[in-house]
Every structure is written in C-alpha cells, then in structure tokens.
Amino acid sequence: MIKQFCLCLIVCFMFTTTIAQNCQYSLKGKISDFHDNSSIIGASLQIVNSNKNTITNFDGSFEFKNLCKGKITIVIKHVACESKTISFIISKDIVKEITLEHHLEELEEVVVKSESKSESTSIEKSIKKDIITNFSDKSLGDALNTLSGVSSLNTGNTIVKPMIHGLHSSRLLIINNNVRMFDQEWGDEHAPNIDMNASDRIDVIKGANSLKFGSDAVGGLIVVRGKKYARKDSLFGSSLMSFNSNGFGGNLNSEIIKSYKSGYYTKVQMSYRRFGDFKAADYSLTNSGLENINASFRLGYNSYLKGFEFYYSQVNNKFAILKSSHIGNVNDLVTAINSLEPRVIKEFSFSIDNPKQSIIHHLGKIEAYKRFQGFGKLTFQYDFQVNRRREFDLRRGDLKNTPVIDLRLVTNSIQSDLQVKPNDNLKLNIGFLGRFQQNNPISTGYRPLIPNFDKFDMGLYTIGNYSLNESTELNAGIRYDFSKIKARKWYNITDWNETYNYDELFPEFETGTIAGVRIFTKPQYTFHNFSTGLGLLKKINDDLSLFINYGLANRVPNPSELFSDGLHHSAARIEKGLLNINKETANKFIVSMERNNNNFGFVISPYFKKINGFIQLIPVGISTTIRGAFPVYEYNQIDAEIYGIDIDLNKKINNRLDYYGSISLLRGKNTSENLPLINMPAANFNNKLMYFNEEFKQLSISITHKTVLQQNRFPDYNFFTLDPVTQQDVFVDISSTPPTYSIFGLNISSAFNEGKLQFELNVENLFNTSYREHLNRLRYFADELGRNINFKIKINY
C-alpha cells in the first residue's frame, strides 16, 4: 500500500508540473541576409540541450512548436555564414526576424580582387607574395619591371621609378594600404618610399583610372595591398635572409602575426637592407651603395558587421649617388659621354658619401567600417604622411654635412566611401576626399628648388557596376576634384620681368616686396577637374574574356612643374618650371583579350592615349654657375600621343615544364612639334622556361632571358656649347641611345619540412654582360650591374 501511494504521488506531481509549465508556446520567424535582406534557405536551427531542431524553408521561415515557458538558446548555422547564438524568454508566442552575416568569405584569408568594383573591368596584372619575396632585397620598381607594359626610369641601380606605358612620377597613382602616396614623387630620381616586404600583393591597373583614388591616373594605378587574416586563434610569421655577391650585401626581413577567433589581429614587420659599392661587368661603381631600415605595424578588428584597422609604417632610405655622375663643368659631361669607364674608380667600400640622398617617410592610417542592415557598408579613413627628403652634394668646410636640398612635405587626408547594392545586379560606390598638404623647405644655404606651398584638395565620386548577365559587366564612374595651390617664392627680377614676362602675365602674384635683384611673389592657382571612366567585361567562354576601357583623366600640374627654379643637385642639372603651365587632359583607350588557361593562355592588350597639354622636362642648353657648368632643363607643354601593345603568353610543355613570354611595343609622339617623345621605353621581350617538381622538395628551376632593343625614336636635343677649359665650342650629345642588349638569369628554389624552410638561388646577368639602359639617368657615366649571385633562406613559423 505504501509503495502504491508513493507512486501515485509522483505521477500526480509530474502531471501538475507539466500543466504548470504550459508547453504550448511557439516561436516563428524568418532568417534573411543582413546585407540585402534576401531569404536564407536551408539554415539549421538547434535548441541547446534539447532534441528540437528545424531548417528554414524556401522563403527563409521556420517554426518551433510546443515550447515550455522559460529561457531557450538557439544555435543557427548556414554555409558561408557566421554561426549565430541567440536566446529568447518564452512566455507567449513569439514571431522574430533574424539576420545572418552572409558572405563569410569576406572575413577569411582570401584574395580580394579589388576594394571597389570600379577595378573589376580594368586591365590588371598582379604580383603575388612569392614574387615579392623573390625581390625582397630590391625595389618596388624592380619587381614591377617583370610585368609587360611596365618599365622603369632609373638613377643608377638603386633609385628605380616605375613607369606604365612610358608614364611615371605624378602620372602614376601609388596606393599603399589604401593610402595614396605623396613623397615628392615629381623628381626623376625620387623612388617610391615603400617597403615591399610589408605587403602581400601588388596590383598594376593599366586600364581606365580608378576614380576612387583620384582623377589624375594618366599612366595607371599601382596598388600595394596587405592581407586579410582568418578569424581564428593563430600565431605565425616568417624570417627571410638574403645574401648578394654584387655589393656584398643583403636583406633581413621578419614578421609575426597574431590573429584571434574574435576577429582581432596584429602584425609587426621589420626589414634591414645594406649594400656597399656595386660592380659593373668590368669595374667598380664608386659610391653606389645603400642602406634601408623599415618597419610597419598593423592592429585591427575584422567582422562582417564592423571593423577597424590602425596601420603605421616608417621607411628610412639612404642612397649613394655614383661619384662619377657629379660634374663640375661641361667638359666633365662631354668626357663622361665619350669615355668607356667612369672617371672615378676606387676600391670597394660600404661608405655612403656625398653625393647622396636621405629620405624618411612616415605613414599612418586609421580606417573603420560599419554595415547597415539592408542598406550598405560605410567606410571612413584618416591618414597622414610626413616625407623628409635631404639631398647632399660635394660641399666643403662647415657645410660638408649640410644638405643642399632639404624638403619636408606633410599630408593629411580624410576620406569616406559608401557601398550600396540596390539590387542583385547593381552596386554603387559614393565617396568623398579632403586633403591638405604643406611643403616647408629647410634652409640649407642655397635657394630652395621647390618653395613653400600649401595645397588643398577635395574630391567627390560616384561609381556604378552593373551585371547585365552572368557573362557581361558594365562599369561607369564620374569624379569631380577641386585643387588650390598657394606658394611663396622669390624670383630674380630679370627673369620675372624680361625672361618670362611674368610681370604682365601674373601681376596679381606680385607683393611689391623687392630685395636687391629679387622680387617676392605669392602665386595662387585654382583648378576644377571632371574625370570619368567606362568599362566593359565580356566573358566569351569559361577561360576567354574581353575587356574594354575608356578613361578621361585630368592632372593638375605639380609644384615642381610650376615653381622649380635652380640647381637640382642629385640630378646634376638646373631645372626651371613655368607659371603658365596648365593641367593635362588625357583620353585613354585600352582593350584586352585574355585567355586564362594553364595549358595555353595569353593576354593581348593594345592601347592608345591622347594627352592634351602634356608636360615634359627637356634639355635646352648649358648654364654656368659658381658650382660649375650644368645642363639646363625646362618644363613645357605640348600635345602627345602614346600607343602600343602588350602581349603575354604561357604554355604548359608537359607536367613539369612551362614557358612564359611577353613582348611590349610602344610609340610616343610629340604631335605639336612632330617629334618622338623623350624618355620612352624601347621595344622589349622576355622569355622564361621553368621546371617544377612538387614531389621532389618543390624543386623549381627556371632560366630567364630579356632583350631590350635600341631606342631609335628619340628627339634630338643635342647642342653645342663653350668648353670653359679649352675655350672652344664642343658638341654635347645627350640624346643618342645605347645599343640593343640581352641578359640571362637563373633561378633555383626548393622547400623542406612541409614548406617551413625554403631556399632560393638566383644568378642575375648570368654571362656578366656589359650594357647600358637608355632609361637610366646615369647611362652617360657607367654601365649597368654585372653578374650577381643571390642566395635566400626563408623560415616560416
């Protein structure tokens, strides 16, 4: 009886509890994409600590029935979505709208084609991390030189300026970690202050300009990108060491990355590069070494809804300038041109003596983004740059260690970008830019080549990308830019009133202040620019695509082109700007047919650029100063045309042997004077035969070949001048170009311990060929580099 009574009590208690719990509630809802509110089909929902689960149907809806009063926790999962855990207090029937962060791949360690869809229909070439590693002890320009259509304007072998289709300096936009570089880039011998070792990918866009970054990409766009890190707990990094026989130097680079599952990440990177005097095939290049100390730091948070990144880098470069390139009079120049060897050849040294350059570049960025449900993504960025450039000449006495040029350029920028997607086929980018620059020359005892100036920039752009169907994309954009330049500069009264007639052309610039033979002026300019870009991408089949681009670009003259006035010591010439120079207007057309196939692929890209008001710096004679006799170069404006074709080929010969080849043909014409344009790249072609055996320690062996034909199309700017030594007129040939040359290279690499330890051996200029490149400003004084044996060790951890 007692047992039966107890059992009855238990049954009654359970029945009473069940009634009290009232498990008759329901939870209904719909799961949609946070980005565009589209329904998410097939998402799984599981109530924690329960066997209740369900999946969403074709309209994204779901339902749980017979829920008891109290708190429940649900885990929601879907492919390409970030899992979501959400809790509810059940006290009645509930209807709930739930969003998932779809497109989770945007957070992962993937290659992002472009920050803006404006680049998707552009003709683009990329340099991946393995190629960047291969050029770790060289410059950005050296690495870009491997791409068809890209060449360089050199000052010796250490100062390398990239050129795209014959255009460089202010006509190229260089974007470093989403920051447009401003580092006194106007000079022929001013190389970009970027440490490639801090990047993971470099894109060269040769098509219509990317309106997101500026309206003045007459030549093209170079984008140096960092890497996105996966949302996981991880600690990894690498160290790379390189050793070179030519210059007896090398490079050391180390980086370490820490990422967290929460989305936070940080990266620290440092590199050091040092070389002594380099060597041509037959002699030493006295005072040609370099020393670089670079560092960068990234800290950020990465999630689909929001994120931020802080980035800082410092580049500290010291470049020696070939001793023999320093000329004291016109006789030195004539002797150098006619000589087979430099006039100064000394024993090897690590010293970096005058003449030399010393540049420190600071770059900082704070970027943040936020996604708004059903609307779009808003990004805001502030960045600053400080560029300190010092150029040292051969000076004596107390001024021996004082630079002859000391420039300090400070740039502050703010920008915002809004991405919206009204429907599945249309994506819009709307953006704003504000920028302020100050250039403050520091007294050196010489008249500053570039004066004090303030520059204000403001830009607005709208870019749209529309998918007509799965095989066709259209892109269009428009941008407006406002620029204002205010300068403060002294002029020689004779030049102001008589040589250039500025007293009649620009009386509003005069201040009335005169000191001796000089007049103080305040030039001021205002520019309004409209630019546009149009692009078409047509996928003909799975591996064949057609790209068509048109771009209208307007470039405001830089302060060098307007205000240069004096001896540019590291360039060993007198440079003169013109106050009546106006902006350039370029119409650019480029077509590209691409077959992306490993067995046989190709890219054929013809292009045409018509540039009205093309600004060029050309030699006009010789001027004698207290420092000696120097060539005089002046800026002027003409109309120009540049056209050509780039061709790339790849062919798989067998499972382990591949061929790669490229050819670039270009013509530049001064249509105003019916002359060839100055400093245009010659026709060139490259070949590479590569053997790769993945099973045998990832062994790779490749032989490279490059031929550059003699540039026979050049303007004749030769002249006669009085030799101060012989007191006779002499012929100065500064236009004739060097002959055709061919060089070969060898590369061997292998990896051990599952890729954690990598070795690489490179032999450059394999046969120690003597040659000169006509785009090297020091070709009058010395040959290019001779053979170099390079050995690299990389440790991944």
Side-chain angles (χ1 to χ4, degrees), residues 161 168-169 184-191 560 568 573 635:
K161 289 184 71 72
H168 58 86
S169 300
Q184 309 281 4
E185 68 278 356
W186 44 266
D188 285 354
E189 81 297 354
H190 298 178
S560 172
H568 194 173
R573 66 191 183 199
Y635 288 98

Side-chain angles (χ1 to χ4, degrees), residues 205-381:
I205 300 171
K206 297 184 288 186
N209 48 301
S210 176
L211 298 177
K212 176 179 178 180
F213 297 108
S215 62
D216 47 351
V218 178
L221 183 70
I222 298 171
V223 184
V224 181
R225 304 185 189 275
K227 190 174 186 178
K228 285 198 171 186
Y229 299 110
R231 289 167 57 94
K232 61 182 180 180
D233 293 322
S234 182
L235 177 65
F236 59 97
S238 66
S239 291
L240 183 144
M241 295 165 283
S242 70
F243 308 91
N244 293 262
S245 63
N246 199 333
F248 293 105
N251 178 71
L252 173 64
N253 178 73
S254 288
E255 62 182 30
I256 188 166
I257 300 99
K258 173 62 178 173
S259 62
Y260 299 87
K261 187 176 181 180
S262 62
Y264 288 96
Y265 62 88
T266 184
K267 175 183 177 180
V268 178
Q269 177 267 338
M270 297 185 68
S271 68
Y272 177 72
R273 185 167 59 133
R274 177 75 182 272
F275 284 87
D277 291 338
F278 291 92
K279 190 177 184 299
D282 301 314
Y283 47 77
S284 179
L285 301 171
T286 301
N287 199 50
S288 59
L290 62 90
E291 183 177 19
N292 308 144
I293 303 175
N294 310 308
S296 67
F297 174 75
R298 290 176 68 187
L299 172 66
Y301 171 73
N302 181 28
S303 77
Y304 184 75
L305 286 177
K306 58 186 177 181
F308 72 89
E309 179 175 277
F310 169 76
Y311 176 79
Y312 171 78
S313 70
Q314 177 180 303
V315 176
N316 191 334
N317 292 328
K318 293 181 181 178
F319 299 112
I321 306 295
L322 184 71
K323 189 81 72 175
S324 298
S325 68
H326 182 87
I327 56 176
N329 54 59
V330 70
N331 184 61
D332 291 345
L333 180 59
V334 174
T335 301
I337 292 173
N338 296 326
S339 175
L340 297 178
E341 292 187 351
R343 62 182 179 85
V344 179
I345 300 177
K346 296 182 179 181
E347 294 295 324
F348 172 86
S349 173
F350 278 105
S351 298
I352 298 178
D353 299 323
N354 297 341
K356 65 182 179 183
Q357 295 182 5
S358 175
I359 306 101
I360 299 179
H361 190 87
H362 301 271
L363 183 152
K365 177 193 79 168
I366 299 176
E367 179 182 11
Y369 67 87
K370 169 72 174 176
R371 279 186 168 89
F372 297 91
Q373 184 176 348
F375 180 60
K377 177 184 177 183
L378 178 63
T379 303
F380 180 83
Q381 177 176 306

Side-chain angles (χ1 to χ4, degrees), residues 521-591:
T521 66
K522 291 185 177 180
Q524 182 170 315
Y525 297 86
T526 299
F527 297 94
H528 300 271
N529 287 337
F530 287 93
S531 300
T532 187
L534 300 171
L536 168 68
L537 164 61
K538 177 65 177 178
K539 295 181 180 179
I540 299 172
N541 55 41
D542 289 342
D543 60 8
L544 188 63
S545 301
L546 174 68
F547 296 81
I548 301 176
N549 273 172
Y550 163 74
L552 170 65
N554 284 283
R555 185 179 74 88
V556 172
N558 63 47
S560 172
E561 295 161 339
L562 292 168
F563 308 126
S564 288
D565 184 23
L567 181 60
H568 194 173
H569 293 262
S570 66
R573 66 191 183 199
I574 294 172
E575 297 178 3
K576 291 185 176 293
L578 285 177
L579 292 181
N580 54 353
I581 282 182
N582 210 327
K583 64 183 179 182
E584 290 181 347
T585 300
N587 288 275
K588 310 184 299 177
F589 301 87
I590 185 166
V591 178

Side-chain angles (χ1 to χ4, degrees), residues 647-659:
I647 301 175
D648 295 272
L649 298 171
N650 65 276
K651 171 64 179 174
K652 179 173 285 297
I653 300 173
N654 57 44
N655 290 335
R656 292 179 178 172
L657 198 60
D658 294 276
Y659 167 79

Side-chain angles (χ1 to χ4, degrees), residues 3 66 84 130 306 482 488 493 529 562 596 645 664 701:
K3 291 182 178 181
N66 300 324
K84 190 169 188 176
D130 57 339
K306 58 186 177 181
F482 168 82
R488 299 165 293 282
I493 291 180
N529 287 337
L562 292 168
N596 186 12
I645 187 170
S664 295
I701 303 174

Side-chain angles (χ1 to χ4, degrees), residues 743-771:
I743 53 175
F744 291 82
L746 174 67
N747 173 274
I748 302 173
S749 64
S750 188
F752 299 85
N753 194 17
E754 298 181 345
K756 293 182 179 180
L757 182 61
Q758 299 174 355
F759 296 95
E760 183 175 324
L761 175 68
N762 293 285
V763 184
E764 301 157 354
N765 194 357
L766 183 62
F767 300 110
N768 204 30
T769 302
S770 298
Y771 69 99

